[in-house]
Amino acid sequence: MTNPPEESSVDVHVLSGATVVLGVTGGIAAYKSVELLRRLMDLGAYVIPVMTENATRFIGATTLTALASEPARLSLFDDHDPILHTRLGRSADLIVVAPATARLIGEYACGIATDLLSTTLVATEAPVVICPAMHSEMWAHPAIRENVATLERRGVTVVAPETGRLAGGDIGAGRLADIDVIVDRCAGALAPRRDLSGCHVVVSAGGTREAIDPVRFLSNRSSGKQGYAIAEAARSRGARVTLVTTTDRVAPAGVEVISVESAEELYGAVTGLAESAHVVIMAAAVADFRPVRVAEHKLKKSDGIPEISFVPTPDTLAELGRRHRPGQVIVGFAAETDDIIVHAKQKLREKGVDLLVVNDVTVEGTGFNADTNAVTILSREGKRTDVALAPKSTIAHAVLDAVVARIGVR
Ligand code: CTP
């Protein structure tokens, strides 16, 4: 192990002295914005609350005014400043909206400015952090998914909601993220995280192809999207990234690409790189078996139904677990369809990895070829982190957060 990164998490003190517009919209989680405001003030930020009309149905403007640097603003028109939205938009170092309702997210994604908050959002060049909170059905709705993906593509930080108790007693994904997480992401948006700088991260992506004859192969449904999202996120956090991929998707900027096709080629490439890499993340869907022989010529229908015998392929992840060096972090993935956690725990143990990212591919909106995913991250010590349905880029950062927390542990 050489040069582990010095910094394992973002420094929240970058918020000291920053002008932060705190947007609050009309959801039950609005009461939590009071705690967020207090935390931002405690860190030395200059905070200006902006409430939507519906937010005032949940909490009083007086509460926010009493705690903030300036009175809470409610309207485009009631202020002595006739162009309040441009003043707020220009003076903000950061805008954070917590909670953000489906309406606010939809308006912002479409550039529709209906009130002071949505107008300020389209009048700013400052980094923006959006913290959705809503019922699970709403969070899973394709319209919301697309709006969130649009915002993320534009560089907005979306802090995915947690899974937990929701209004009305339901349990599911949609609860406002923990205030500590929001503060962390605000600091990260102000000063982009470089917590993987000095690290070499190897990511595998896509489904392997096992040749039958010169024109046919056996493969699986993996699109490679999750692996690519991890490569991109690791690069943005300062890592040197090598992507070992079976797909011809366009690689993220600044990422070194090694193209492979079969499980055996992937094994050779990844185990070679792992000799010096700090982190290896096996997001690829690797075939467990390959045909014993690749027919030299195309199999012809006229030759009758072919009988294909199989032999096992090398298990790259298990080999990485065996060769594990102190301080190195090895991450496996598991796509499961039943008894998810039981199978995952067994895989974690048997393959000797540090973290296993497991997803139930039968859940709508997750797994192969989807732009979103919902995963559980298990650690070898038995820690379990559930990441609710979110864009694959958000899942990528959650996986990297778990990696960063472990670098140098073993
Ligand atoms: N993996 C690997 N080499 C293989 C098979 C899998 O490196 N030959 C890796 C995958 O990249 C993934 C993890 O092992 O990170 C789990 O893959 P999965 O297919 O879920 O597990 P298997 O060990 O193949 O078990 P099973 O198919 O029986 O569930």
Side-chain angles (χ1 to χ4, degrees):
M1 178 80 189
T2 51
N3 300 330
E6 287 164 23
E7 190 76 319
S8 68
S9 78
V10 70
D11 180 7
V12 290
H13 294 99
V14 296
L15 286 157
S16 171
T19 298
V20 178
V21 169
L22 169 61
V24 183
T25 66
I28 185 64
Y31 77 92
K32 296 183 182 171
S33 66
V34 179
E35 182 56 25
L36 176 58
L37 170 55
R38 271 174 33 86
R39 291 291 311 282
L40 293 170
M41 294 295 295
D42 287 349
L43 285 166
Y46 184 92
V47 188
I48 310 169
V50 173
M51 302 174 77
T52 62
E53 196 184 334
N54 280 340
T56 63
R57 294 173 186 267
F58 293 89
I59 55 165
T62 315
T63 310
L64 296 184
T65 295
L67 295 167
S69 311
E70 287 189 18
R73 301 302 207 290
L74 304 170
S75 160
L76 274 163
F77 306 109
D78 292 347
D79 203 86
H80 62 271
D81 185 344
I83 44 169
L84 181 60
H85 57 290
T86 45
R87 176 174 83 76
L88 290 174
R90 282 191 194 137
S91 62
D93 294 310
L94 174 83
I95 300 183
V96 51
V97 185
T101 54
R103 181 192 65 80
L104 185 281
I105 291 168
E107 285 183 356
Y108 185 30
C110 297
I112 298 171
T114 56
D115 57 13
L116 180 59
L117 180 56
S118 52
T119 310
T120 303
L121 282 169
V122 293
T124 194
E125 288 179 1
V128 174
V129 177
I130 296 285
C131 311
M134 60 193 74
H135 250 76
S136 315
E137 294 84 349
M138 296 171 71
W139 179 240
H141 192 282
I144 307 285
R145 308 257 48 82
E146 281 171 27
N147 288 336
V148 166
T150 300
L151 293 179
E152 291 204 314
R153 230 180 10 255
R154 292 181 191 148
V156 171
T157 299
V158 178
V159 187
E162 293 178 345
T163 298
R165 191 172 291 283
L166 305 170
D170 295 344
I171 294 182
R175 191 172 70 177
L176 184 71
D178 191 83
I179 299 300
D180 284 342
V181 174
I182 296 176
V183 170
D184 217 59
R185 299 297 294 274
C186 286
L190 261 184
R193 257 180 304 188
R194 307 292 289 173
D195 52 6
L196 283 169
S197 63
C199 266
H200 181 201
V201 176
V202 175
V203 184
S204 71
T208 58
R209 294 174 170 192
E210 308 304 324
I212 296 172
D213 68 13
V215 297
R216 301 183 179 91
F217 58 80
L218 288 167
S219 192
N220 57 65
R221 295 181 191 280
S222 173
S223 65
K225 284 182 184 173
Q226 186 64 76
Y228 275 60
I230 292 172
E232 183 165 19
R235 179 80 198 110
S236 78
R237 290 167 77 151
R240 177 186 146 216
V241 181
T242 308
L243 182 61
V244 179
T245 177
T246 64
T247 87
D248 49 13
R249 308 177 74 80
V250 179
V255 166
E256 178 196 7
V257 176
I258 297 179
S259 293
V260 294
E261 194 168 285
S262 65
E264 225 140 304
E265 283 175 21
L266 184 135
Y267 176 88
V270 173
T271 52
L273 289 162
E275 281 174 21
S276 58
H278 302 103
V279 180
V280 185
I281 303 177
M282 283 291 295
V286 187
D288 292 325
F289 305 99
R290 65 168 173 82
V292 176
R293 256 191 332 275
V294 182
E296 202 181 324
H297 301 290
K298 185 185 169 195
L299 299 177
K300 301 298 285 179
K301 206 161 32 184
S302 52
D303 296 335
I305 300 172
E307 277 189 17
I308 302 173
S309 304
F310 292 93
V311 284
T313 56
D315 189 325
T316 304
L317 187 61
E319 187 57 30
L320 296 176
R322 278 191 287 276
R323 299 188 193 178
H324 192 290
R325 284 175 293 111
Q328 192 179 40
V329 182
I330 306 290
V331 185
F333 267 70
E336 302 286 352
T337 56
D338 58 300
D339 288 337
I340 314 295
I341 299 300
V342 177
H343 283 138
K345 283 186 173 161
Q346 194 182 347
K347 237 169 235 183
L348 181 82
R349 237 186 355 263
E350 285 175 2
K351 302 213 184 197
V353 297
D354 298 292
L355 297 167
L356 196 81
V357 183
V358 54
N359 66 331
D360 178 350
V361 286
T362 62
V363 173
E364 202 185 328
T366 72
F368 302 125
N369 211 22
D371 290 320
T372 49
N373 209 353
V375 301
T376 298
I377 304 171
L378 301 174
S379 81
R380 61 186 290 119
E381 293 79 18
K383 185 165 179 252
R384 172 183 174 155
T385 310
D386 291 309
V387 191
L389 191 69
K392 284 187 169 168
S393 54
T394 304
I395 304 287
H397 278 289
V399 172
L400 293 177
D401 288 345
V403 166
V404 166
R406 288 198 63 87
I407 287 179
V409 167
R410 203 153 55 133

